Structure formats: structure tokens, C-alpha cells
């Protein structure tokens, strides 16, 4: 109870201060935050699709690998349908999103490095990879901000399972990076689409009037 | 045998017939079918269609099998019916996203079966929504004219409310009779305004949509709309502008036409043709050069006879106001005299009154304008005592004359340069003069003895005399233009009984009497002095002493008449000789040499 009271007090104080228009505490509305994050993830997905198409021209997947394709994030349980996604609570959905983003941060950096090292790829692909790596980081931060805001506004009841678990997940995934670039990109393309979709669902569930 | 023959005959023909008709049918296994496409309309279900191959002559059945990525389990299509023939429909329960489906179709007949190529499908990437619904088109008006407003609805099956799927829309417009479509992207909104359409034409509109990543839907059925007739605002405005300017141009052209001549005069001012007095163009055209040249010779030029018609200048000498002869104790600034440099004797560059010939004509008309006064009073501020000169002239008072630049000189004496005067006297020693040198352009009263041509040539050095106020036209007053060393000579025309010498400028000696001709040029003496006895002292010209001598000797006859005249006219005129100072200038005190040898007698007189 005290925690709730504290948070309420904090929110009211914030609102009081910021209502007077101090430039330091220019607050962005939740809708705007969501929109930014969704646009970010859309762009991320587009990048990954483009890069995958480029790689497909270079590398023909061998027949053997089709069946054995496996993504390193497959351990993360993600809803694979609309109903499933809608059944998840907001906190869970946010958690899934953050888990995915965490899992891809390190491998993407490594991917970019390996690309530049190999020098087989043109500069545009390398730039895209670098941009993807950066965007994942930013998106992660953004989603965290959104989560914080939602918690501040009382939409999400409990804070996410501490960063520790997420970080542990991250450290686990770093060693799983595979050399198969095509498969790697295929997995990332899919996961970026998941992130994007989950964010949209989250937004339209929390803010139904904002363009849904 | 007959029975057998009749029965088997048709049978035989039939069998033969059948044998002939039917080829050798060999049934075989069916050909490979082919999965043509799989589509999901709302990202929740999907359908796959296949194309059967050759059926091998036997009834063939088709079955679709699929397995999921990462699993070996093979499933069969749950629904063959919903989507029609040769299709498989996957319901929501059977649909999983973000998972690859490995789909293949097997065709089976009695002979065998064949399997199609496997197809990998991820449902997320095969979304093709249904067409938008409820397309409505209407015509709206605004300031710039009518425009089209198109609105529509999302396809019913697509769930955009939960954010599961986001659609972007596109519409296209064309005139019914045209061929090219105009496409517009509407983004995620469900309406669009189309501008800049032609008036009076019929248009058709279609809309389609697309999910985030997926395929475009089909176009909706066309919606027809008729644009109303209107004139675009800009065009009507331009029409008005064009009409108005045409009207203005018309009026302008008409006025120009009416005022044709004055416009022509303004634009192309007539250049005065060459005008030579006495030059008759007609004569020239006629071609007789002698006549032309003869015509150039002006008989009456220089005027010799009719002195009355000419400008007369007279010199008035007073006894009682002798001391005021020149200027009462006031020194005329020397510049007055000096500054008059007689320039050449031509008419160029001067106004009408500067030209000697023209001047005479003018002044012969008895012109006595106040303009003369104005010209005279350019000598600076002065209270001209007798400025009025008694003939109701305006007082050329100082206020008027300050900056006057006399372009036209008093008529008689041509070519003094007023500018010089002005320049040399910038600050103006504005002496107050009691007398105004004035020239009166008057025809002399009929005193001239027509007969005798008494000439008294006076070189162009003039004395100042006082101009006494006259009150009648009879009074002759003398004004002398302070003229410095000008070579303008005057000759005495007559001597009036009232002791007035009527002088006139001496023109070219052309056409004169022979005796006169000697007077042309430099054969004149200058009046050096006027003695108290009313005797004119002639000054020998420095430049030509011999002339003077000649003058004295050869034309003594000339001299005498002068004296005789003087004697006749003036009682007090002593029949003394005119003092000819043959030797060079004897400069007396008070005499000042000015310019080229002329004596400034004014100072002397004072």
C-alpha cells in the first residue's frame, strides 16, 4: 500500500511540476511513446527483410540446412496467433518483447563484425547490419521506457522481472551465434516481426483510440 | 445361317467401330500437381490452391499434406471444401504464425500417385486482404472549385482494431474515356480528396489495400462520378484580366490614333530645316544656281537707308549733370567694362536678341520690353535711379535681377557676354549706380536727315551717361552698355536737335557708299573723351594708327561734316577740331587702359 501511495504521490508531484511547463520535465504522452517505438520496430523489420533478400541472392541455402534451421531464440515462448497474443497480459507481453530484444543485441553486434571481417559483402549490407544492431539497442531502451511509463500510470501492476534475469538471458545467447548468416537473418527477420506485432497489440489494447 | 449372319453383322461393325475409334488407352499414374498459391486474408487463416496435373486417365484424388517446421509430424489438410475445388483451407486453430509450413499435394489414382513440389509457407508473409468496402465518392466545393471526396471502409475480415493487422490504402482515378489511371496513396486513412479534375467529365474511382508486409488486395469495383460544369477560378480571372487589358489597349490605340499628329510631334520632334535667309528652296529645285545665289544676297543688308527702321541708339549728353555724366561718383566696377568681351560677330549661340540682324528687326518694331531692363540690370544690384527711364517701364529693381543671366543682350549691341560679367563679379561689387546703362531700342524720331549720312563712328567703347528719368517717350536717354574692348562699332546716324546723337551699329560695309566702306573694319576711332565743350575726343586706335591718319587726311571731308553737324546741332558746340590724338594713347590720370587699348573713360570722367 505504501508503495502505491508513494507512486501516486510521485506521479502527482510530477504532474504538478510539469504542468507549469518546465522544460526539464517535458513529458511525452504514452501514445507518442508507443508510436515512436512502433515506428522504430517497423523500421527494424524492414531492414532485416532487405538484408535477408540481399543475402538470399548471394547464398543459396543448402538442402541440408533447411530442415535443421533453428533460431537461438526458440526457447522463448512467444504467442503465435492473435488469440494467443490477446490472452497474454500486458506485463507478459512486454516481457516477451524485452526478452526478444535482449536476446538479439549481442548476436547482431557479432554479426556485423563478422561481416566486416569477411569483406565479401558490399558496404550497404554492412551498413545495414550496423544499423540493425544499433536499432535493437535503441528499441530495447524505448520499450523499457514504455514499460516504466505504463507502470507509472498504473497500467502495469508489477514491474518486470528484474533486469537480472534478462541479463542472464542475454549472456546465454551470446555464445549461440552461428556462422550461417542466412539462417541468422531469417531468424532475426521473424523475431523483429514478432516484436512489431506484439507492440501493436499492446498499444491498441492500452490506448484503443489512438489510431487503432 | 441366315440368323447368324444377320445378328453378327451389326455386332461386327460395332466392334470394328469401337476398335477404330478408341485409341489404345493406357492408364498411368497421375501427373504431378502443383501448389499454385497460398493466401491469408486476415493473418489468422489461410488457404492453399493447387493445380492438378495429368490425371492419367483414371479418376484421381488429391490430398494435401503439411508439416511444421522443426517437427516431422505430417498433417493432412483439414478442410477441402470451404475454399472450393483443389483447395485447402486452414482455420484459425490450424494456423500458426511465424512458423514455416511445408506443404505438398499428392495425386493418387489407380495406377499410382505423384507428389507435388513442396512449398514453404510462413503465413505472415502471404497476407492478402480483401478489397476495401463501401467506397463512396462525392463532389464537394471549396474556394478553388469542386473536388472529389472518396471514402471507404476496411475489409470486414481484417482486424485492425486490435492492432493485429495494419492496412494502407491506395486509390486510382481516371476519366471514363481515358486510359491512364492516376494513383494516390492514402496511407492508413479511409478518405481522400482529389483535386484538379476537369469540369464536366465523368470519372471512375477504385480503391485497394495492403497490409504491413504482404500483397495488395484486388481493386474495388469502380465507382462513377460526374464532375459538374464550372470555370476554374484562375481561368476566369485570367479571362477577365485579358478582356480588361484588351479594352485598355483598344482605348489607348484609339487615343493615339486621334492624337496622331501630336504624338508624332512628341516622339519625333521636327528638326528645323536649314534656314538660310533668302534661300529659296524652290529656286534651288528649279535648278538655276545663279538665281539662287543672287537671292542670297540681301539687298537691304546691311541696312543702309532706312535708319528709321533700325534700332537707334543715342547718346545723351548733359551739361548740367556733367559730373554725373558717367556715374555719380560711383565707380562702376571695372569689371563692368572689362567683362564685356566682344566675341565674334556671329549669331551663333545667342538668343534672338543677340543676333544683330534679328535684333534690328525686332527693335525696329519698337520693342521696348522690360526685358531689356532686365538685361541691363544684370549688372548687379543697384538702385537704378532712372531705371524706369520714364516709360512706364518696370523698375528693374534689384530683386529681379540678381541671378539673371542675360542671354539676350540689349538689342543694339550684340555679343556682349553677360556671363562674363556675372562671373567676374560674383560677389558683386554692388555699387549703387545712379545711372543705368540702358539701351533704348527706339526708332529715332524723325529727325534723321535722310540725306546726309553723317556718320560718326564710335568704336565700341561707350561712356556711361546718366540716365535721367524720363517721363515721356520723347526724352531721349542714353544708356550705354558698358562694353569693354569690343570691336563693335557704332556710327552716328543723326544728331538730333536736342543734342542727341543717334547712333547705330555699323554693319558690314557691303553695299554702302564707297565712302562708307572705308569705315568698315578698323577705320574707326574711338571716342576717348567728351570734353566740357561737348567735343568728342577721338582716340586713336592703337592697332592701326595709319588708319587714323588716313582717316584724318583722306576723309577730312568726313570729319568736317561731323563738326559741322555738331556745330549745327549744338549751339555750344565749338567748331573746334576734334581732337585726334594721333599719337598713342596718352594715358592721363584716371584713365585706365582696359583690354585692347580702350580707355575706360568712365573713370576719367569721374
Amino acid at each position: 500500500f505504501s508503495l502505491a501511495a508513494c507512486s501516486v504521490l510521485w506521479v502527482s508531484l510530477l504532474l504538478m511540476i510539469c504542468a507549469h511547463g518546465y522544460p526539464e520535465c517535458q513529458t511525452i504522452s504514452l501514445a507518442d511513446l508507443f508510436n515512436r517505438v512502433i515506428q522504430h520496430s517497423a523500421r527494424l523489420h524492414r531492414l532485416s527483410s532487405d538484408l535477408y533478400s540481399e543475402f538470399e541472392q548471394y547464398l543459396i541455402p543448402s538442402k541440408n540446412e533447411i530442415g535443421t534451421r533453428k533460431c537461438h531464440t526458440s526457447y522463448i515462448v512467444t504467442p503465435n496467433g492473435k488469440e494467443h497474443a490477446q490472452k497474454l497480459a500486458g506485463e507478459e507481453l512486454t516481457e516477451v518483447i524485452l526478452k526478444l530484444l535482449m536476446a538479439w543485441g549481442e548476436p547482431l553486434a557479432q554479426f556485423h563484425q563478422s561481416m566486416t571481417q569477411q569483406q565479401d559483402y558490399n558496404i550497404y549490407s554492412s551498413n545495414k547490419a550496423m544499423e540493425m544492431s544499433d536499432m535493437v539497442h535503441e528499441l530495447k531502451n524505448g520499450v523499457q521506457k514504455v514499460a516504466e511509463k505504463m507502470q507509472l500510470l498504473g497500467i502495469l501492476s508489477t514491474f518486470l522481472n528484474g533486469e537480472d534475469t534478462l541479463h542472464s538471458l542475454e549472456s546465454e545467447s551470446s555464445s549461440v551465434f552461428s556462422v550461417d548468416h542466412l539462417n541468422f537473418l531469417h531468424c532475426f527477420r521473424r523475431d523483429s516481426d514478432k516484436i512489431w506485432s506484439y507492440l501493436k497489440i499492446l498499444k491498441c489494447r492500452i490506448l484503443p483510440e489512438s489510431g487503432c | 445361317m441366315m440368323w447368324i449372319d444377320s445378328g453378327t453383322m451389326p455386332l461386327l461393325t460395332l466392334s470394328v467401330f469401337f476398335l477404330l475409334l478408341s485409341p489404345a488407352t493406357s492408364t498411368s499414374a497421375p501427373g504431378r500437381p502443383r501448389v499454385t498459391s497460398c493466401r491469408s486474408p486476415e493473418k489468422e487463416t489461410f488457404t492453399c490452391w493447387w493445380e492438378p496435373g495429368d490425371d492419367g486417365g483414371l479418376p484421381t484424388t488429391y490430398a494435401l499434406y503439411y508439416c511444421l517446421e522443426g517437427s516431422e509430424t505430417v498433417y493432412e489438410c483439414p478442410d477441402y471444401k470451404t475454399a472450393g475445388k483443389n483447395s485447402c483451407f486452414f482455420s484459425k486453430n490450424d494456423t500458426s504464425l511465424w512458423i514455416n509450413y511445408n506443404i505438398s499435394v499428392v495425386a493418387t489414382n489407380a495406377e499410382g500417385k505423384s507428389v507435388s513440389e513442396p512449398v514453404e509457407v510462413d503465413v505472415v508473409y502471404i497476407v492478402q486482404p480483401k478489397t476495401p468496402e463501401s467506397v463512396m465518392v462525392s463532389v464537394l466545393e471549396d474556394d478553388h472549385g469542386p473536388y472529389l471526396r472518396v471514402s471507404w471502409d476496411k475489409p470486414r475480415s481484417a482486424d485492425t482494431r486490435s492492432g493485429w493487422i495494419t492496412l494502407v490504402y491506395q486509390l486510382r482515378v481516371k476519366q471514363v474515356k481515358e486510359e491512364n489511371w492516376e494513383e494516390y496513396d492514402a496511407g492508413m486513412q479511409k478518405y481522400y480528396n482529389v483535386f484538379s479534375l476537369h469540369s464536366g467529365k465523368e470519372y471512375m474511382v477504385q480503391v485497394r489495400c495492403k497490409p504491413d508486409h504482404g500483397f495488395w488486395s484486388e481493386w474495388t469495383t469502380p465507382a462513377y462520378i460526374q464532375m459538374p460544369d464550372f470555370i476554374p477560378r484562375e481561368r476566369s480571372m485570367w479571362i477577365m484580366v485579358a478582356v480588361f487589358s484588351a479594352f485598355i489597349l483598344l482605348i489607348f490605340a484609339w487615343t493615339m490614333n486621334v492624337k496622331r499628329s501630336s504624338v508624332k510631334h512628341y516622339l519625333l520632334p521636327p528638326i528645323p530645316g536649314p534656314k538660310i535667309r533668302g534661300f529659296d528652296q524652290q529656286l534651288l529645285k528649279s535648278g538655276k544656281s545663279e538665281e539662287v545665289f543672287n537671292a542670297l544676297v540681301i539687298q537691304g543688308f546691311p541696312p543702309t537707308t532706312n535708319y528709321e527702321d533700325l534700332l537707334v541708339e543715342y547718346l545723351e549728353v548733359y551739361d548740367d549733370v556733367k559730373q554725373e555724366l558717367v556715374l555719380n561718383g560711383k565707380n562702376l566696377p571695372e569689371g563692368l567694362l572689362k567683362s564685356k568681351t566682344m566675341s565674334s560677330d556671329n549669331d551663333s549661340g545667342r538668343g534672338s536678341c543677340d543676333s544683330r540682324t534679328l535684333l534690328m528687326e525686332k527693335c525696329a518694331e519698337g520693342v521696348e520690353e522690360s526685358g531689356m531692363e532686365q538685361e541691363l540690370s544684370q549688372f548687379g544690384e543697384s538702385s537704378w535711379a532712372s531705371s524706369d527711364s520714364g516709360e512706364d517701364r518696370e523698375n528693374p529693381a534689384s530683386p529681379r535681377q540678381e541671378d539673371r543671366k542675360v542671354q539676350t543682350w540689349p538689342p543694339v549691341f550684340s555679343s556682349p557676354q553677360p556671363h562674363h560679367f556675372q562671373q567676374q563679379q560674383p560677389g558683386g561689387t554692388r555699387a549703387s549706380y545712379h545711372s543705368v546703362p540702358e539701351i533704348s531700342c527706339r526708332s529715332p524720331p524723325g529727325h534723321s536727315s535722310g540725306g546726309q549720312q553723317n556718320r560718326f563712328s564710335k568704336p565700341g567703347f561707350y561712356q556711361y551717361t546718366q540716365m535721367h528719368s524720363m517721363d515721356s517717350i520723347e526724352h531721349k536717354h542714353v544708356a550705354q552698355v558698358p562694353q569693354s574692348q569690343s570691336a563693335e562699332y557704332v556710327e552716328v546716324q543723326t544728331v538730333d536737335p536736342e543734342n542727341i546723337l543717334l547712333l547705330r551699329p555699323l554693319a558690314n560695309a557691303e553695299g554702302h557708299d564707297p565712302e562708307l566702306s572705308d569705315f568698315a573694319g578698323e577705320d574707326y576711332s574711338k571716342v576717348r573723351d567728351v570734353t566740357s565743350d561737348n567735343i568728342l575726343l577721338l582716340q586713336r586706335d592703337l592697332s592701326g594708327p595709319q588708319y587714323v591718319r588716313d582717316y584724318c587726311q583722306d576723309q577730312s571731308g568726313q570729319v568736317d561734316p561731323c563738326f559741322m553737324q555738331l556745330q549745327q546741332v549744338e549751339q555750344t558746340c565749338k567748331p573746334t577740331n576734334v581732337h585726334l590724338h594721333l599719337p598713342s594713347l596718352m594715358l592721363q590720370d584716371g584713365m585706365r587702359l582696359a583690354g585692347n587699348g580702350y580707355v575706360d573713360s568712365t573713370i576719367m570722367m569721374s
Side-chain angles (χ1 to χ4, degrees):
Chain A
F1 177 76
S2 60
L3 198 67
C6 264
S7 63
V8 165
L9 214 64
W10 170 247
V11 169
S12 59
L13 189 69
L14 217 67
L15 286 174
M16 242 177 13
I17 293 172
C18 294
H20 290 283
Y22 287 102
E24 296 85 22
C25 55
Q26 259 182 2
T27 54
I28 308 175
S29 68
L30 189 62
D32 288 340
L33 266 178
F34 257 117
N35 285 334
R36 288 190 191 183
V37 160
I38 286 168
Q39 280 175 19
H40 219 81
S41 66
R43 175 150 173 78
L44 188 64
H45 175 70
R46 260 194 302 269
L47 269 176
S48 63
S49 296
D50 293 344
L51 209 54
Y52 179 78
S53 312
E54 286 174 25
F55 271 68
E56 239 183 347
Q57 296 168 16
Y58 292 120
L59 310 169
I60 302 165
S62 56
K63 297 273 186 188
N64 307 335
E65 292 177 12
I66 290 177
T68 59
R69 193 182 289 163
K70 195 171 166 67
C71 296
H72 72 282
T73 53
S74 50
Y75 62 92
I76 303 174
V77 176
T78 57
N80 58 4
K82 187 176 98 174
E83 284 81 13
H84 299 167
Q86 281 177 334
K87 276 181 197 147
L88 279 185
E91 298 86 351
E92 290 165 338
L93 207 50
T94 314
E95 195 177 335
V96 165
I97 294 167
L98 282 172
K99 273 189 193 168
L100 285 169
L101 286 169
M102 294 278 195
W104 279 105
E106 188 58 35
L108 276 172
Q110 291 179 5
F111 171 73
H112 169 59
Q113 268 189 357
S114 75
M115 265 187 77
T116 52
Q117 281 166 8
Q118 287 187 15
Q119 309 219 351
D120 288 345
Y121 309 106
N122 60 17
I123 190 70
Y124 301 109
S125 305
S126 173
N127 284 345
K128 281 201 179 87
M130 187 175 69
E131 200 177 344
M132 263 173 11
S133 166
D134 293 339
M135 284 180 90
V136 161
H137 255 85
E138 287 172 25
L139 191 59
K140 185 190 72 177
N141 293 336
V143 173
Q144 276 177 338
K145 286 252 177 355
V146 170
E148 283 169 17
K149 184 108 184 170
M150 285 197 290
Q151 289 204 316
L152 207 61
L153 295 173
I155 300 165
L156 299 186
S157 56
T158 61
F159 198 65
L160 297 166
N161 298 342
E163 305 244 337
D164 327 323
T165 52
L166 291 171
H167 284 310
S168 63
L169 284 171
E170 199 173 347
S171 58
E172 277 177 26
S173 65
S174 58
S175 56
V176 184
F177 172 69
S178 69
V179 188
D180 184 3
H181 289 174
L182 200 62
N183 189 43
F184 180 82
L185 285 170
H186 166 82
C187 289
F188 180 64
R189 179 172 73 150
R190 175 179 288 171
D191 282 349
S192 62
D193 193 44
K194 281 185 188 175
I195 292 164
W196 189 18
S197 298
Y198 299 154
L199 281 171
K200 280 194 287 185
I201 288 176
L202 201 59
K203 176 193 138 182
C204 285
R205 185 198 296 180
I206 291 168
L207 307 162
E209 281 81 30
S210 59
C212 289
Chain B
M1 287 350 139
M2 275 191 53
W3 176 80
I4 294 171
D5 290 344
S6 62
T8 57
M9 199 52 184
L11 208 67
L12 203 62
T13 53
L14 272 172
S15 61
V16 168
F17 182 69
F18 271 125
L19 273 171
L20 286 173
L21 279 180
S22 60
T25 53
S26 53
T27 58
S28 66
R32 280 184 97 175
R34 191 174 68 89
V35 179
T36 53
S37 69
C38 297
R39 288 286 181 264
S40 166
E42 75 288 88
K43 215 156 101 173
E44 296 170 48
T45 66
F46 72 104
T47 311
C48 281
W49 290 272
W50 67 84
E51 179 187 67
D54 179 33
D55 64 348
L58 295 169
T60 317
T61 57
Y62 297 92
L64 186 142
Y65 298 100
Y66 68 91
C67 63
L68 291 175
E69 168 191 340
S71 155
E72 296 295 330
T73 319
V74 178
Y75 305 91
E76 195 184 344
C77 170
D79 187 339
Y80 289 104
K81 301 275 190 271
T82 312
K85 194 159 192 263
N86 295 333
S87 71
C88 177
F89 175 75
F90 294 81
S91 63
K92 283 188 191 175
N93 295 333
D94 301 317
T95 308
S96 302
L97 264 60
W98 297 300
I99 272 180
N100 275 2
Y101 280 73
N102 196 320
I103 295 170
S104 52
V105 175
V106 177
T108 315
N109 67 0
E111 293 287 329
K113 61 179 181 184
S114 62
V115 183
S116 66
E117 288 276 343
V119 166
E120 284 228 8
V121 167
D122 191 337
V123 179
V124 170
Y125 300 115
I126 55 162
V127 181
Q128 185 181 25
K130 298 262 193 286
T131 64
E133 294 176 4
S134 314
V135 177
M136 291 192 299
V137 189
S138 55
V139 179
L140 296 183
E141 285 271 346
D142 78 338
D143 294 341
H144 301 284
Y147 63 95
L148 277 185
R149 186 184 172 90
V150 188
S151 64
W152 55 87
D153 244 343
K154 66 168 180 67
R156 215 170 303 139
S157 55
D159 181 12
T160 56
R161 275 207 71 202
S162 64
W164 183 239
I165 191 170
T166 49
L167 295 172
V168 291
Y169 299 97
Q170 196 182 62
L171 72 151
R172 65 179 188 181
V173 180
K174 85 171 171 76
Q175 287 185 35
V176 175
K177 303 204 179 109
E178 293 286 322
E179 295 211 355
N180 298 326
W181 288 94
E182 188 83 32
E183 291 190 351
Y184 303 97
D185 285 315
M188 284 166 56
Q189 65 194 22
K190 298 196 182 60
Y191 62 92
Y192 199 79
N193 297 327
V194 185
F195 298 97
S196 302
L197 294 178
H198 300 145
S199 67
K201 297 278 164 52
E202 193 182 7
Y203 284 91
M204 45 196 289
V205 182
Q206 288 184 309
V207 189
R208 67 176 184 179
C209 58
K210 179 174 98 80
D212 342 320
H213 38 74
F215 301 97
W216 281 105
S217 70
E218 296 293 330
W219 289 104
T220 58
T221 55
Y224 294 91
I225 188 77
Q226 175 78 33
M227 288 291 286
D229 291 321
F230 66 97
I231 297 175
R233 194 93 173 272
E234 303 86 29
R235 200 177 299 171
S236 68
M237 185 186 75
W238 282 116
I239 288 171
M240 270 182 56
V241 167
V243 166
F244 189 65
S245 52
F247 185 63
I248 296 282
L249 273 174
L250 206 66
I251 289 185
F252 184 68
W254 177 248
T255 50
M256 293 288 266
N257 189 38
V258 166
K259 297 257 186 317
R260 206 177 17 235
S261 57
S262 63
V263 166
K264 193 176 161 199
H265 189 271
Y266 177 73
L267 285 176
L268 306 165
I271 301 165
K275 190 176 165 192
I276 304 169
R277 284 185 74 231
F279 192 77
D280 191 357
Q281 278 194 346
Q282 296 301 324
L283 216 52
L284 183 67
K285 280 179 196 168
S286 65
K288 304 238 173 94
S289 59
E290 274 188 21
E291 293 175 13
V292 170
F293 291 131
N294 286 339
L296 283 175
V297 176
I298 300 172
Q299 289 302 324
F301 189 82
T304 56
T305 50
N306 269 339
Y307 291 122
E308 292 83 10
D309 300 332
L310 298 175
L311 176 70
V312 172
E313 165 206 339
Y314 39 87
L315 175 68
E316 183 173 293
V317 177
Y318 280 93
D319 288 341
D320 45 347
V321 289
K322 219 173 305 189
Q323 53 275 18
E324 300 168 359
L325 251 176
V326 183
L327 299 160
N328 273 348
K330 301 297 188 287
N331 299 330
L332 268 181
E334 297 150 12
L336 277 175
L337 292 177
K338 278 185 254 186
S339 59
K340 297 297 171 273
T341 56
M342 182 74 76
S343 64
S344 62
D345 223 359
N346 52 7
D347 292 347
S348 64
R350 294 188 209 99
S352 59
C353 272
D354 284 351
S355 167
R356 207 163 58 167
T357 60
L358 294 177
L359 265 177
M360 293 189 186
E361 293 170 4
K362 267 200 180 181
C363 294
E365 295 159 7
V367 175
E368 295 165 340
E369 309 94 358
S370 58
M372 261 200 325
E373 295 239 345
Q374 297 165 9
E375 293 145 14
L376 291 175
S377 48
Q378 49 119 8
F379 301 118
E381 297 174 5
S382 51
S383 57
W384 302 105
S386 34
S387 59
D388 48 357
S389 74
E391 283 169 1
D392 304 330
R393 292 195 199 169
E394 281 182 284
N395 193 346
S398 45
R400 223 169 18 139
Q401 312 312 334
E402 301 240 342
D403 302 329
R404 177 123 17 188
K405 272 198 175 172
V406 175
Q407 300 298 330
T408 67
W409 190 245
V412 178
F413 314 108
S414 52
S415 70
Q417 300 288 327
H419 304 285
H420 289 259
F421 172 68
Q422 294 284 7
Q423 287 161 11
Q424 291 178 14
Q425 278 202 311
T429 61
R430 310 277 191 220
S432 63
Y433 302 115
H434 284 251
S435 62
V436 172
E438 182 193 357
I439 310 282
S440 67
C441 264
R442 289 196 299 126
S443 51
H447 290 297
S448 61
S449 56
Q452 224 161 10
Q453 310 288 332
N454 294 320
R455 278 175 205 92
F456 192 79
S457 63
K458 216 160 54 87
F461 152 89
Y462 302 106
Q463 296 181 351
Y464 290 93
T465 61
Q466 182 197 15
M467 186 178 67
H468 68 284
S469 56
M470 300 293 184
D471 53 357
S472 71
I473 197 164
E474 279 82 26
H475 291 271
K476 305 212 177 28
H477 48 275
V478 173
Q480 293 203 337
V481 177
Q483 205 165 12
S484 63
Q485 51 281 8
S486 86
E488 195 68 11
Y489 296 118
V490 200
E491 72 179 18
V492 174
Q493 185 184 346
T494 53
V495 181
D496 281 337
E498 290 185 341
N499 306 332
I500 294 170
L501 280 172
L502 300 177
L503 300 172
R504 66 172 172 86
L506 192 65
N508 289 331
E510 196 175 30
H512 288 184
D513 302 52
E515 56 185 14
L516 283 180
S517 59
D518 292 335
F519 288 121
E522 311 92 24
D523 286 342
Y524 300 113
S525 331
K526 303 172 252 186
V527 173
R528 172 163 159 251
D529 194 0
V530 175
T531 63
S532 56
D533 292 341
N534 299 332
I535 295 171
L536 285 169
L537 298 177
L538 294 182
Q539 176 72 44
R540 181 173 77 101
D541 194 353
L542 270 179
S543 53
Q546 62 277 14
Y547 297 123
V548 176
R549 200 179 309 119
D550 291 342
Y551 174 72
C552 288
Q553 292 169 2
D554 296 342
Q555 289 135 20
S556 56
Q558 303 296 330
V559 177
D560 288 340
C562 163
F563 285 126
M564 282 197 297
Q565 281 285 356
L566 281 171
Q567 283 167 357
Q568 286 165 17
V569 170
E570 205 167 14
Q571 290 87 356
T572 57
C573 181
K574 298 254 169 57
T576 55
N577 286 330
V578 173
H579 296 275
L580 282 175
H581 293 267
L582 288 176
S584 54
L585 281 176
M586 286 160 39
L587 287 175
Q588 299 175 2
D589 290 343
M591 273 176 61
R592 294 266 227 93
L593 259 185
N596 55 356
Y598 288 96
V599 175
D600 187 357
S601 68
T602 63
I603 296 172
M604 180 180 61
M605 284 303 185
S606 65

